[in-house]
Amino acid sequence: MLSGIKQKAIVGKDGKIELSATELAEGTIVEVIVLVESSSEEDETTYLFKSETNKKHLLKALENVEKGNLIYVDLDEYEKNYL
């Protein structure tokens, strides 16, 4: 069985990263994956606007919202009927 531990850490001198996992027994073999947060995070809209196709889809969606062209879905009702 696979389980996970999520922690934030700060890279120290010489690239050293220290983690503390007291819930793991000494000698436990683990695999470590390091995910790095971008220093200049870009919001999703800005990212999507970089593609002309995505930009057209987003602008069309905004236009539909402004015109009231919306479809409402009752998720509970949908689950009862289709899942």
Side-chain angles (χ1 to χ4, degrees):
M1 182 167 91
L2 205 58
S3 63
I5 299 170
K6 183 176 178 180
Q7 295 182 17
K8 289 220 180 228
I10 297 173
V11 178
K13 186 176 181 182
D14 298 321
K16 185 174 181 180
I17 300 171
E18 252 184 77
L19 302 172
S20 176
T22 56
E23 63 272 28
L24 298 174
E26 185 176 334
T28 302
I29 297 172
V30 300
E31 186 173 336
V32 178
I33 298 172
V34 177
L35 304 172
V36 180
E37 289 184 2
S38 174
S39 58
S40 62
E41 289 190 34
E42 188 173 54
D43 76 358
E44 290 177 36
T45 305
T46 303
Y47 172 77
L48 291 171
F49 264 45
K50 287 181 177 180
S51 156
E52 195 58 38
T53 302
N54 286 337
K55 183 177 180 178
K56 287 178 184 177
H57 284 293
L58 287 171
L59 292 174
K60 182 68 176 168
L62 285 172
E63 183 182 315
N64 282 327
V65 169
E66 289 169 358
K67 290 180 178 178
N69 295 338
L70 304 172
I71 298 172
Y72 294 95
V73 177
D74 182 329
L75 294 179
D76 292 329
E77 194 64 33
Y78 176 81
E79 286 179 357
K80 285 183 210 172
N81 295 317
Y82 300 102
L83 297 182

